[in-house]
Amino acid sequence: MDNIYFIGFMGTGKTTISKLIADHLNMKWTDLDDMIQQKEKKTVVEIFRENGEEYFRNLEKEVLKDVAGKGGYVVSTGGGIVIVDENVKIMKESGLIITLVASPDVIYVRLKDDQSRPLLQVPNPLDEIKRLMYERAPFYIKGDIIIDTSFDEPEIIVGEILKEIEKRKNGKGTC
């Protein structure tokens, strides 16, 4: 089986949901941010602070290419991976893209105390969430499946995703 990529804004549940999907489908799971941190031996916050966002995005593309070449993975991506067109192309060519979405207010509540989110270390994080979500919306809608995670429990969301994946396997959906 090809890879399954989870994209979406930070705080939409990509890590939680992708791990559960990997378990259900008996696939390997990985998180691109974890791979980057292992490669650089620094946190994402340190990479952003010391080297900038462009450097981070280049690392992200490198690890994505590595995973795309392997297959059989469920991949949790960073929220900004979609801003690089080549990344979306790599994911489309090597698997299924599942976009997780949630309302800005829900994301704010989920992330308000999380200091590991470099793009939210600003005076008004809710406004920044709204701005970034608006900016990235044209990229996030490129997912093959789009699921709102605002209010349902992870098990319900996983069930919805598994149904959508099954539809695609049986030729009832498009990839």
Side-chain angles (χ1 to χ4, degrees):
M1 176 183 249
D2 289 338
N3 292 330
I4 299 173
Y5 299 97
F6 280 82
I7 66 170
F9 200 75
M10 62 185 102
T12 56
K14 295 183 303 288
T15 300
T16 299
I17 302 300
S18 63
K19 282 181 179 178
L20 292 169
I21 291 291
D23 288 345
H24 276 278
L25 297 176
N26 294 317
M27 294 175 69
K28 296 170 277 192
W29 177 85
T30 194
D31 180 288
L32 293 187
D33 283 351
D34 289 349
M35 292 176 69
I36 292 166
Q37 290 176 133
Q38 289 170 4
K39 180 178 181 158
E40 291 291 297
K41 297 180 180 31
K42 294 179 186 176
T43 67
V44 170
V45 172
E46 290 169 333
I47 295 167
F48 265 77
R49 185 178 58 237
E50 294 170 18
N51 304 100
E53 185 173 3
E54 183 178 351
Y55 180 82
F56 176 82
R57 297 294 170 210
N58 287 331
L59 290 171
E60 191 172 52
K61 189 186 314 175
E62 283 178 38
V63 297
L64 174 62
K65 285 180 180 178
D66 183 47
V67 172
K70 294 177 181 172
Y73 277 88
V74 175
V75 183
S76 178
T77 67
I81 196 166
V82 295
I83 65 174
V84 178
D85 287 335
E86 187 179 347
N87 291 342
V88 176
K89 184 176 187 264
I90 291 166
M91 290 185 285
K92 284 272 187 193
E93 290 174 352
S94 62
L96 180 70
I97 300 174
I98 300 172
T99 304
L100 299 183
V101 298
S103 74
D105 292 328
V106 168
I107 289 171
Y108 175 73
V109 168
R110 290 177 183 170
L111 299 180
K112 66 182 178 187
D113 298 321
D114 187 345
Q115 298 301 307
S116 70
R117 309 292 181 154
L119 295 177
L120 295 184
Q121 304 312 307
V122 295
N124 191 332
L126 180 57
D127 283 349
E128 186 66 2
I129 289 167
K130 290 175 183 176
R131 185 189 72 74
L132 287 169
M133 287 179 75
Y134 180 79
E135 184 180 282
R136 294 175 182 178
F139 303 103
Y140 289 144
I141 62 170
K142 294 179 182 179
D144 300 303
I145 298 169
I146 300 174
I147 302 285
D148 190 335
T149 65
S150 296
F151 304 108
D152 288 328
E153 292 299 315
E155 296 77 22
I156 294 170
I157 295 163
V158 167
E160 288 179 45
I161 292 168
L162 292 172
K163 283 181 199 167
E164 290 294 327
I165 291 170
E166 194 60 34
K167 281 185 201 173
R168 280 156 177 74
K169 280 186 189 174
N170 294 327
K172 295 178 183 165
T174 58
C175 282

